[in-house]
Amino acid sequence: MVKGLMMLISQFAKQTGLPVDTIRFYIAKGLLRPERSVKGGSNPYQVFGEQDVTTARMIRLQQTLGYSLGEILALNEEYRAGEHSPERTLEVLQSQIARLEEKKAALDAALSFLRGKVAWINSGKPDDAPRLEDYQC
């Protein structure tokens, strides 16, 4: 993206990979706050910049980590208010790392179960099938 570039919603959708309806939803929830253009008369255009692209990507990342939209909004509001001290940033990042590690552990357990099941089938089902209860998914 060109530094300082301002985009209309269709361009922003292409840049972020988000559907226009999702962008409008994020705006309605206060997660995104595009500027208003002087064009458009009584219904001014919404104009997005680089910071909005970063914000949209952070929202998607936080959703992937399991944050609710309410939690994401609270973090965004905190950031916008200038309350992002190095200590608070570190706390948020450590929380995100912990969430990812939990998800990784669950995925690793699920993969182990599935691989065990495949191996059991490939070996002709000699004994009892691997049980999901034996894996901490």
Side-chain angles (χ1 to χ4, degrees):
M1 175 180 359
V2 177
K3 191 169 181 84
L5 177 67
M6 299 304 283
M7 300 166 276
L8 296 177
I9 196 166
S10 61
Q11 297 164 307
F12 182 72
K14 287 179 186 171
Q15 184 69 33
T16 60
L18 294 172
V20 171
D21 288 341
T22 299
I23 295 167
R24 287 190 177 118
F25 178 77
Y26 287 170
I27 293 168
K29 293 294 183 185
L31 294 163
L32 286 173
R33 294 184 181 170
E35 293 181 25
R36 298 284 181 171
S37 167
V38 292
K39 294 182 180 180
S42 62
N43 191 17
Y45 294 139
Q46 296 172 324
V47 182
F48 300 85
E50 290 178 67
Q51 186 60 43
D52 296 308
V53 172
T54 300
T55 299
R57 289 179 177 151
M58 285 303 298
I59 292 167
R60 295 308 250 180
L61 172 64
Q62 291 167 324
Q63 285 181 311
T64 301
L65 295 173
Y67 284 84
S68 69
L69 290 179
E71 289 172 311
I72 296 168
L73 179 60
L75 286 170
N76 285 352
E77 292 294 330
E78 188 177 308
Y79 185 80
R80 285 182 185 127
E83 299 170 13
H84 54 281
S85 66
E87 296 80 15
R88 178 62 180 143
T89 300
L90 188 59
E91 180 184 331
V92 170
L93 292 173
Q94 287 172 330
S95 172
Q96 291 174 334
I97 288 168
R99 284 183 187 221
L100 279 174
E101 287 174 344
E102 287 175 17
K103 282 188 166 207
K104 181 184 180 301
L107 285 171
D108 287 344
L111 283 168
S112 292
F113 168 73
L114 293 172
R115 287 183 180 124
K117 191 85 166 186
V118 167
W120 174 75
I121 292 168
N122 283 335
S123 66
K125 303 180 185 180
D127 300 314
D128 291 335
R131 298 175 335 135
L132 186 57
E133 301 83 40
D134 296 335
Y135 298 84
Q136 294 193 350
C137 296

